[in-house]
Amino acid sequence: MATQKKRIRYSNADRSSAASVPPGRQPSEASEADGDFVDGAVLRITMKNFMTYNYIVVRPGPNLNMIIGANGTGKSSIVCAICLSLAGKTTVLGRDDKVGGYVKTGCDKGFVEIELFKRGGNVIINREIHVENNQSVWRLNGRTCNQKTVEEEVKALHIQVNNLCQFLPQEKVGQFAKMSKIELLEATERSVGSPEMFEYHCELKNSRSKDREMENVIKERTSYLEKTKQRYERHKLDENRYYEKQRHLNAIELIEKKTPWVVYETTRNELEGVKKERDKVKKQLIVLKQAHMPMLTKLQSIEEQLKPSDAQMKAKSAAIKEASSKCKQKQDQLDRMHKEIEDIKQEFKMKQTEEEDQRKRIGNIKLMTEDLKVVLAEVDNQPDVTPRISEVNAELRQIQMERGKVEKEKTDLRREKDNLSAELRMLEKKLTDMNNMMTMKEEKLRGRHRDTHVAVQWLRQNRHLFSGNVCEPLMLVVNMKDHRFAKYLENHISFNDLRAFVFQRKDDMDKFLLEVRDKMSLRINAIIAPAETWSRAPPSRHIESLRRFGFFTYLRETFDAPEEVMSYLCQQYKVHEIPIGNEQTEAMIATVIEEPYIKVLYTKDQRYAVKKSYYSNITSTKNTTVYPSKYLSIAVDTEQKRQLEQQLNVCHSRLRDIDERLNMMQKEATGLDRRDNELLSEKKNLLELKGKKRQLEQKISTKQDRLRQLEHSGIDLKKVESETKKKIIAVNSKKTAVVTALMEQIKMQAKLTIEKEYLALEMTGLLAAKTKLENVCREGANGLKGINQKCSQLEESTARLKIQCKEIMKRAKSICRMQPDEALPRNLHDAFSKLPDTLDELDAMLNEERSRAECFPGVSKKVVEECNKQEQEIKELEQELTEKNAALTAFRQKMSEAKENWLNPLKQLVEQINNKFSNFFHAMKCTGEVDLHCDNEEEYDKYGISILVKFHESSQLHELTQFHQSGGERSVATMLYLMALQELIRCPFRVVDEINQGMDSINERKVFDILVHTACKERTSQYFFITPKLLQNLNYVEEMTILCVNNGSHMVRSNEWDDSVFLQRCHQKKKVQA
């Protein structure tokens, strides 16, 4: 693409032919020619590779600078250069959000430099912008610095590019009317107020918050002080009760100290009595021991005589026990023999019973055989059933074949039903997923714009009210074929249209708006589809011809939409003409934008808009970042959804047919099963009848074989009886020998028993004498033992009482806090003398004192500590409140002074603005007022400036808002307000970009006259007014500077421009025309 050549007509142009810009210039001294400039005014703007410019130098005048040029020539580029060179944010301009986006397309870096007037030495700010990392290199007066240093220098010159009252770019003109009263006041203060005014305002807002905090703290502390005093009074009563209780506790302590001493005296007296009794019992014990000795000697003699007799008795007892054991063994042998004889007899009886049972079985078998023969004779007389069995078998085979066919058909139907059920579940899942995606889209719509979501619900319930097609908002009905392309469509269509309803008929739209917007007060958008369809409009170029640039599709091909929606998007947004490219397109962008038929295009992450000037035919390009999709990334294919619903209905219909056929097959199978059961039952009966004869013959043969077997296996009872008698005789012979041995053992046992009895009689006499002596000794020993035990008890009591006395004395001294060898102090002795001397009296007195102490529950020493602590806290709180009240009074006095320093000048400033604003409106035969608005004088953060305007005689004054006035009226009011600020010189320059575009010719002419009159006064601030056109026959003055921006392929370079040659040619042309 050929290099674009531009030319600016200016009053003081830089005629330098340098092809490059130095990295930074040294500041120059202010000259006499700069005497009309105010500090901070713009002397020079230099741009290289910046937006539409290759290289240019602009030198504005000190008063009104009219920058005139057709759209796309580069007027706003000068505004952008001023903002960015003064460290302004890209958000102020409302264009590209990245600073690299302001570098000319195809260049790696760009350059802007601005020279500001300052008495004592101008300020030159240089900014070099790098595209790759969106970073900037700053230089201030030729020295490299950071952005913060530049911001501080700009602030010192009272330049505020982020203040709409000073710097109003083209994209921000509409936002001036959107400013709140508070924002307008702050912008005005910073723009034309004194340097201290805005600081005072901020200080008052902060001070008001601090004042409320201090007041709340004082209220809280006062309330806390009152509560503390109330608690102190309650605790004072508890303190008195504590001291009363303490007196009783001291008395209890004294009684508890004396009690051990009384117990000690009692125990000591008891110990002396026990000692005397112990000595008396010892004397009695000695006398009893002397009288008991002769009887013990005689008892020992008898015990010596009994020892041999006792050994003989044990020997006799052992011999008798052995004889008795042998007798028992012989008796056990006899018992076993008796049992053996009984077993032999029992075995013989069993043989008899078995022989009798066998005779009975033989009789029964003979009877059963005769009965079976009778039945066999009857069966032989019945006809043959074999032919009928064959017929039944043939019919059963036929039924089996038919049932097999039915079962096969049922299996096929069930398999088909299972397949259909699986397909049905799959279709239902897909449809549910699609419905869930539609629900997600509706939830996003409700979260972003609830009114539109409510209107959608109303439309679904009342769709029958409309005669034509009504499409829900675009973001619900547009379905992306690939979610990756959603970001392009969403960046291409405004959100207002994304949430708009599309109507086929205008009367339907009017009816819808009447119900939803007027009656339900919902904020919604609605649009009419084109009368002639655009949905199938072909693109001007086939996509194949663009593939060499990396384009692969048009925007229309990336989504589906209803006919009306697609037609509207093609007509309004030309989606059928918007190509989408890839990285190749991005790399070839310089070549792509030269194609004359491409107006808008998308690469992977960028949107490019190509504009061609109607005047110079020069192309300008604007690129913006494509942001990720928020609403359209959820894609639902409506055609696929419709097909799924159709397939779902077909599946349901086929399942119903299969269920009907299965029912018919089941009925047929049931009939076959019934007939099969009947034939099987008949066949069973026939087979039983046919096999009955054979069974009877087999049974008769079996019975006869059994009968012969029983007859040959008979028992010989006589032989068995003879053998039994022989066995009994043999056992009896053994029994005789055992009885003889038993009698001998019995005799031996009797002899030993007699000898033992004689020995027992002899021992009895000795034992009687021994028992008599033992009884006498036992009685003496019991008396001796009792006295001995009593003596031991007295000894133990003596020792125990000694120990008790020592322990009681130790405990008494411990309670009284005395040393072990210390005597009772005099003060305790005197105190003890006033108390009773008996334990009962002391216990009674102790219980009384404890009862009185218990009358004060919950009282502890903490009460006294808490009372003292609260008393000290009350003193501190009172001191603190005194100090805080004094601080609050001083703070409010300081606030009052700050308020006077801020509010009075502010009222004067607003009054001045109001006078000028009203005069300007009066000159236009309209009415306008500027008022300082506040509901409460103490709420400093609620102060604001209210602009009231009236453009027609029949109307009333209304506040300037973005809703009430038209676009032209808002532009007039904004312009006149800025003019009112112009004469209050506070900022060095103001910039207003294309604010006159919405005005009618009458208002534009009046505003222009006011602008010229105001901005061209002596010592006023510099003014930049940017416009693409002006009315004819306007009034101009010498103080104005007209900057004409032109471009075109035949324009000369700026360093080749010569004012004198141009003027000479103009004069010659006029002479020729004359």
Side-chain angles (χ1 to χ4, degrees):
M1 184 177 69
T3 304
Q4 299 179 18
K5 301 176 181 178
K6 301 182 184 289
R7 180 63 176 164
I8 298 182
R9 177 69 176 96
Y10 47 87
S11 60
N12 295 306
D14 185 358
R15 290 179 170 77
S16 174
S17 60
S20 63
V21 179
R25 302 175 187 268
Q26 294 298 323
S28 59
E29 295 293 332
S31 63
E32 293 181 0
D34 298 333
D36 294 334
F37 287 91
V38 297
D39 283 354
V42 179
L43 294 178
R44 174 178 57 83
I45 307 165
T46 303
M47 294 169 276
K48 180 182 179 183
N49 296 333
F50 184 79
M51 295 185 71
T52 57
Y53 292 105
N54 291 334
Y55 172 71
I56 197 66
V57 179
V58 180
R59 294 185 181 276
N63 300 110
L64 176 61
N65 292 274
M66 302 289 293
I67 303 178
I68 305 172
N71 289 330
T73 56
K75 303 183 302 301
S76 296
S77 299
I78 299 174
V79 177
C80 295
I82 295 173
C83 176
L84 296 180
S85 62
L86 295 174
K89 305 294 184 184
T90 55
T91 55
V92 174
L93 299 172
R95 290 172 176 256
D96 201 312
D97 56 345
K98 297 179 181 177
V99 70
Y102 293 87
V103 176
K104 188 174 182 179
T105 304
C107 299
D108 296 332
K109 60 182 179 178
F111 168 92
V112 288
E113 184 177 86
I114 190 168
E115 183 174 358
L116 304 174
F117 177 79
K118 184 177 182 183
R119 300 187 185 278
N122 295 340
V123 177
I124 297 178
I125 301 173
N126 178 294
R127 183 175 189 175
E128 187 176 287
I129 304 170
H130 295 266
V131 176
E132 183 178 359
N133 53 9
N134 279 301
Q135 297 294 320
S136 299
V137 177
W138 293 90
R139 294 181 180 87
L140 179 62
N141 295 330
R143 295 182 180 179
T144 303
C145 63
N146 55 25
Q147 183 173 339
K148 186 176 181 181
T149 304
V150 176
E151 291 173 351
E152 291 174 352
E153 184 66 30
V154 170
K155 183 178 179 181
L157 293 171
H158 307 298
I159 299 174
Q160 304 166 20
V161 292
N162 61 340
N163 189 342
L164 295 183
C165 289
Q166 179 177 350
F167 196 90
L168 192 61
Q170 179 181 350
E171 283 74 11
K172 297 290 184 176
V173 170
Q175 289 192 5
F176 187 87
K178 297 179 183 178
M179 291 174 66
S180 66
K181 300 173 185 178
I182 299 171
E183 292 172 338
L184 184 58
L185 171 61
E186 292 178 354
T188 302
E189 286 177 331
R190 288 187 283 116
S191 177
V192 296
S194 63
E196 299 82 9
M197 181 176 289
F198 185 67
E199 295 177 0
Y200 277 132
H201 191 186
C202 295
E203 181 183 351
L204 284 170
K205 288 191 289 187
N206 296 331
S207 298
R208 178 57 181 162
S209 300
K210 185 177 180 181
D211 177 75
R212 281 195 291 264
E213 291 176 3
M214 293 174 69
E215 187 176 359
N216 291 334
V217 168
I218 289 174
K219 288 180 180 179
E220 291 175 1
R221 302 304 287 173
T222 303
S223 175
Y224 181 69
L225 176 61
E226 292 299 325
K227 292 179 181 178
T228 304
K229 286 181 177 180
Q230 293 173 5
R231 288 197 301 270
Y232 174 73
E233 294 298 329
R234 291 195 299 270
H235 288 157
K236 193 67 176 175
L237 296 175
D238 292 338
E239 183 183 22
N240 296 333
R241 295 173 67 238
Y242 169 77
Y243 286 126
E244 180 67 22
K245 179 180 180 180
Q246 200 63 35
R247 284 194 294 272
H248 294 295
L249 293 176
N250 292 336
I252 292 171
E253 183 181 2
L254 189 60
I255 293 170
E256 289 175 345
K257 286 181 178 179
K258 182 174 181 179
T259 300
W261 293 97
V262 175
V263 172
Y264 171 75
E265 289 296 328
T266 304
T267 305
R268 190 174 62 81
N269 294 333
E270 184 180 356
L271 175 61
E272 294 297 328
V274 169
K275 284 181 178 179
K276 292 179 181 180
E277 187 176 358
R278 180 195 62 184
D279 295 338
K280 182 179 178 182
V281 170
K282 281 184 177 180
K283 293 177 180 179
Q284 293 177 357
L285 182 62
I286 294 170
V287 173
L288 287 175
K289 283 183 178 180
Q290 292 175 352
H292 193 62
M293 288 301 295
M295 288 184 289
L296 291 174
T297 303
K298 189 175 181 180
L299 182 60
Q300 288 176 356
S301 175
I302 294 173
E303 286 177 350
E304 291 295 331
Q305 293 177 10
L306 282 173
K307 286 180 181 179
S309 299
D310 188 45
Q312 292 176 3
M313 283 290 292
K314 289 180 180 179
K316 296 295 182 182
S317 296
I320 292 170
K321 183 177 181 181
E322 183 180 358
S324 176
S325 174
K326 290 179 179 180
C327 288
K328 186 175 184 305
Q329 289 176 1
K330 296 299 181 180
Q331 186 64 45
D332 291 340
Q333 287 181 0
L334 287 176
D335 292 339
R336 285 195 295 273
M337 290 176 182
H338 283 302
K339 186 174 185 305
E340 186 177 355
I341 292 170
E342 291 296 327
D343 291 340
I344 293 170
K345 292 179 179 180
Q346 184 66 28
E347 185 179 357
F348 177 71
K349 289 181 180 179
M350 290 176 63
K351 292 290 184 181
Q352 289 178 330
T353 303
E354 183 179 354
E355 195 275 337
E356 186 177 356
D357 292 339
Q358 189 171 0
R359 287 200 307 271
K360 290 180 180 180
R361 283 198 296 272
I362 290 171
N364 291 334
I365 290 172
K366 289 180 178 180
L367 292 175
M368 291 174 65
T369 303
E370 294 299 327
D371 293 338
L372 288 172
K373 288 179 179 179
V374 172
V375 175
L376 180 62
E378 294 176 354
V379 171
D380 289 339
N381 297 328
Q382 292 183 358
D384 188 12
V385 294
T386 303
R388 179 56 186 163
I389 291 174
S390 300
E391 294 176 359
V392 170
N393 286 335
E395 189 172 355
L396 284 171
R397 286 193 295 273
Q398 182 65 29
I399 291 173
Q400 191 67 26
M401 292 174 60
E402 292 178 1
R403 187 160 56 187
K405 292 179 181 179
V406 171
E407 289 298 327
K408 182 177 182 302
E409 187 171 357
K410 285 172 66 178
T411 303
D412 293 340
L413 288 173
R414 288 194 185 99
R415 188 182 300 108
E416 184 178 359
K417 182 178 180 181
D418 292 340
N419 294 335
L420 283 173
S421 298
E423 184 179 358
L424 183 65
R425 288 192 297 271
M426 181 185 67
L427 292 173
E428 288 176 344
K429 183 178 182 301
K430 289 183 178 179
L431 195 59
T432 301
D433 293 341
M434 287 188 173
N435 290 332
N436 289 340
M437 294 173 71
M438 285 298 296
T439 303
M440 290 171 62
K441 294 176 74 173
E442 291 180 18
E443 288 299 320
K444 283 196 172 184
L445 175 61
R446 181 169 65 176
R448 181 67 174 82
H449 205 278
R450 183 176 293 274
D451 285 2
T452 303
H453 183 267
V454 174
V456 169
Q457 303 303 318
W458 182 90
L459 175 62
R460 290 175 180 175
Q461 297 173 2
N462 300 276
R463 196 177 290 273
H464 61 281
L465 300 176
F466 306 100
S467 55
N469 288 340
V470 181
C471 297
E472 294 180 0
L474 271 65
M475 64 181 294
L476 296 182
V477 298
V478 169
N479 289 289
M480 303 305 302
K481 296 179 180 178
D482 190 332
H483 66 87
R484 293 176 299 172
F485 301 131
K487 60 181 180 179
Y488 303 124
L489 185 62
E490 194 167 313
N491 278 268
H492 194 68
I493 303 173
S494 68
F495 180 73
N496 286 336
D497 277 355
L498 281 177
R499 65 182 181 88
F501 295 81
V502 182
F503 292 82
Q504 188 181 26
R505 297 167 57 94
K506 187 176 185 305
D507 55 344
D508 285 344
M509 186 178 75
D510 294 339
K511 185 186 299 183
F512 179 78
L513 293 177
L514 176 65
E515 293 291 337
V516 176
R517 183 183 290 175
D518 298 340
K519 293 183 179 181
M520 299 174 65
S521 300
L522 298 178
R523 295 182 293 109
I524 55 95
N525 289 348
I527 52 181
I528 293 287
E532 297 182 3
T533 181
W534 281 64
S535 61
R536 297 177 182 82
S540 58
R541 303 266 302 193
H542 197 277
I543 193 65
E544 293 299 329
S545 64
L546 301 177
R547 289 194 185 276
R548 57 194 175 95
F549 298 123
F551 294 110
F552 54 88
T553 187
Y554 283 107
L555 186 57
R556 180 179 64 180
E557 310 307 322
T558 63
F559 66 94
D560 293 322
E563 177 73 20
E564 293 78 7
V565 174
M566 185 67 79
S567 181
Y568 172 77
L569 293 178
C570 289
Q571 182 200 45
Q572 183 69 22
Y573 290 96
K574 308 299 181 186
V575 294
H576 62 296
E577 296 282 4
I578 310 299
I580 300 175
N582 50 26
E583 292 83 354
Q584 180 184 351
T585 312
E586 187 73 39
M588 301 176 63
I589 193 62
T591 305
V592 173
I593 60 178
E594 291 183 357
E595 296 297 322
Y597 46 82
I598 297 178
K599 305 299 182 184
V600 179
L601 62 95
Y602 286 94
T603 62
K604 184 176 180 182
D605 296 309
Q606 296 288 325
R607 177 183 187 271
Y608 290 88
V610 183
K611 293 176 62 178
K612 181 175 291 186
S613 174
Y614 292 102
Y615 303 95
S616 60
N617 205 32
I618 294 299
T619 301
S620 62
T621 306
K622 177 182 178 181
N623 67 303
T624 55
T625 302
V626 177
Y627 295 103
S629 172
K630 295 181 180 178
Y631 311 106
L632 299 181
S633 57
I634 303 173
V636 179
D637 191 339
T638 53
E639 178 63 24
Q640 184 183 3
K641 182 180 178 183
R642 185 184 61 78
Q643 292 178 1
L644 286 176
E645 291 174 346
Q646 289 180 352
Q647 293 176 10
L648 203 63
N649 293 333
V650 170
C651 285
H652 282 299
S653 176
R654 291 178 63 188
L655 281 174
R656 286 194 295 271
D657 294 343
I658 290 173
D659 288 337
E660 291 178 359
R661 291 180 62 189
L662 281 173
N663 291 334
M664 292 174 61
M665 293 295 102
Q666 185 62 38
K667 291 180 181 178
E668 185 176 352
T670 302
L672 292 174
D673 290 341
R674 190 186 309 107
R675 179 58 183 163
D676 185 72
N677 291 333
E678 292 174 355
L679 291 173
L680 287 174
S681 178
E682 183 179 359
K683 180 180 177 181
K684 180 181 178 182
N685 294 333
L686 291 173
L687 290 174
E688 287 178 354
L689 185 61
K690 182 179 179 180
K692 191 172 183 181
K693 178 179 179 181
R694 184 167 60 254
Q695 291 174 357
L696 289 172
E697 291 175 349
Q698 289 177 354
K699 286 182 179 180
I700 292 170
S701 175
T702 302
K703 295 297 182 183
Q704 290 175 348
D705 293 341
R706 178 62 177 161
L707 182 63
R708 285 192 294 273
Q709 183 180 0
L710 289 173
E711 288 176 348
H712 284 88
S713 62
I715 300 173
D716 189 357
L717 286 178
K718 292 182 180 179
K719 182 179 179 180
V720 171
E721 184 178 3
S722 174
E723 290 175 355
T724 300
K725 288 180 180 179
K726 290 179 181 179
K727 290 179 180 180
I728 292 172
I729 291 170
V731 171
N732 284 331
S733 62
K734 293 179 182 179
K735 186 177 178 182
T736 303
V738 171
V739 169
T740 303
L742 176 62
M743 293 304 295
E744 291 177 357
Q745 290 296 327
I746 291 172
K747 290 178 182 179
M748 177 64 69
Q749 182 180 6
K751 179 181 176 183
L752 291 172
T753 302
I754 293 169
E755 291 176 353
K756 180 180 177 182
E757 290 298 328
Y758 284 128
L759 186 59
L761 289 173
E762 183 179 351
M763 289 181 66
T764 301
L766 293 173
L767 288 172
K770 180 182 176 183
T771 302
K772 184 177 179 181
L773 287 173
E774 284 179 348
N775 290 334
V776 174
C777 289
R778 190 180 297 112
E779 290 176 359
N782 287 338
L784 185 63
K785 183 179 180 181
I787 294 173
N788 197 10
Q789 288 178 350
K790 187 175 181 181
C791 185
S792 299
Q793 290 174 356
L794 291 172
E795 287 287 351
E796 291 175 358
S797 297
T798 302
R800 177 174 53 79
L801 288 173
K802 286 181 179 179
I803 294 171
Q804 284 182 1
C805 286
K806 291 179 180 179
E807 289 178 352
I808 292 170
M809 174 61 73
K810 183 179 179 181
R811 184 163 63 88
K813 289 186 176 183
S814 175
I815 291 174
C816 294
R817 298 181 181 86
M818 296 168 57
Q819 295 298 325
D821 56 349
E822 184 182 357
L824 185 66
R826 185 66 184 175
N827 59 338
L828 283 178
H829 187 274
D830 295 341
F832 289 167
S833 64
K834 298 177 181 179
L835 297 176
D837 294 327
T838 63
L839 288 176
D840 292 339
E841 290 176 339
L842 284 173
D843 287 340
M845 187 175 182
L846 181 62
N847 291 331
E848 182 180 357
E849 291 296 333
R850 283 177 176 171
S851 299
R852 291 181 178 180
E854 288 173 356
C855 293
F856 303 96
V859 179
S860 65
K861 192 174 182 180
K862 290 183 179 180
V863 174
V864 179
E865 296 174 357
E866 186 68 23
C867 194
N868 295 334
K869 181 180 177 182
Q870 287 177 354
E871 185 177 0
Q872 181 63 28
E873 186 178 7
I874 289 170
K875 292 179 181 178
E876 293 174 355
L877 284 172
E878 289 174 345
Q879 179 64 25
E880 181 185 357
L881 282 173
T882 302
E883 294 173 356
K884 287 187 179 296
N885 282 318
L888 179 59
T889 302
F891 184 76
R892 286 180 173 174
Q893 180 62 31
K894 184 179 178 182
M895 278 182 62
S896 178
E897 294 173 359
K899 179 181 178 181
E900 290 180 3
N901 294 332
W902 170 72
L903 189 56
N904 293 334
L906 177 62
K907 288 180 178 179
Q908 294 174 5
L909 177 64
V910 174
E911 184 63 27
Q912 292 175 8
I913 297 172
N914 178 51
N915 292 336
K916 297 182 181 299
F917 187 76
S918 300
N919 292 336
F920 291 155
F921 261 81
H922 182 70
M924 297 182 63
K925 296 183 180 180
C926 300
T927 305
E929 293 180 2
V930 176
D931 179 41
L932 182 63
H933 175 81
C934 67
D935 295 327
N936 183 355
E937 285 194 359
E938 301 303 323
E939 297 295 334
Y940 303 107
D941 55 344
K942 299 296 191 296
Y943 275 79
I945 286 182
S946 175
I947 300 177
L948 304 173
V949 294
K950 182 177 75 170
F951 288 91
H952 308 286
E953 289 294 335
S954 58
S955 62
Q956 300 292 327
L957 278 171
H958 288 286
E959 186 176 351
L960 179 65
T961 64
Q962 58 176 323
F963 306 108
H964 196 277
Q965 289 80 17
S966 66
E969 290 172 345
R970 291 198 299 272
S971 297
V972 170
T974 302
M975 191 68 182
L976 295 182
Y977 186 80
L978 296 178
M979 288 295 99
L981 301 181
Q982 179 70 12
E983 295 186 359
L984 301 175
I985 305 173
R986 171 73 172 84
C987 56
F989 66 86
R990 283 190 173 80
V991 176
V992 179
D993 191 359
E994 295 193 15
I995 196 172
N996 60 330
Q997 293 306 295
M999 301 181 191
D1000 56 50
S1001 59
I1002 298 174
N1003 285 336
E1004 184 177 354
R1005 187 176 297 275
K1006 292 178 180 179
V1007 169
F1008 183 82
D1009 291 340
I1010 294 172
L1011 173 63
V1012 172
H1013 175 74
T1014 305
C1016 293
K1017 290 182 179 180
E1018 186 178 356
R1019 301 302 299 170
T1020 187
S1021 59
Q1022 195 177 31
Y1023 206 100
F1024 291 88
F1025 184 77
I1026 295 90
T1027 178
K1029 62 180 180 62
L1030 285 174
L1031 299 176
Q1032 296 180 357
N1033 301 321
L1034 295 173
N1035 295 321
Y1036 298 90
V1037 296
E1038 290 295 330
E1039 289 78 10
M1040 294 174 58
T1041 301
I1042 309 298
L1043 303 173
C1044 297
V1045 183
N1046 297 295
N1047 62 14
S1049 58
H1050 302 292
M1051 291 295 297
V1052 298
R1053 295 182 178 274
S1054 61
N1055 58 356
E1056 298 174 2
W1057 178 262
D1058 191 331
D1059 291 344
S1060 60
V1061 175
F1062 175 76
L1063 293 174
Q1064 183 178 358
R1065 287 179 180 174
C1066 288
H1067 289 311
Q1068 289 176 356
K1069 188 175 181 181
K1070 288 181 180 179
K1071 288 180 180 180
V1072 171
Q1073 291 176 351

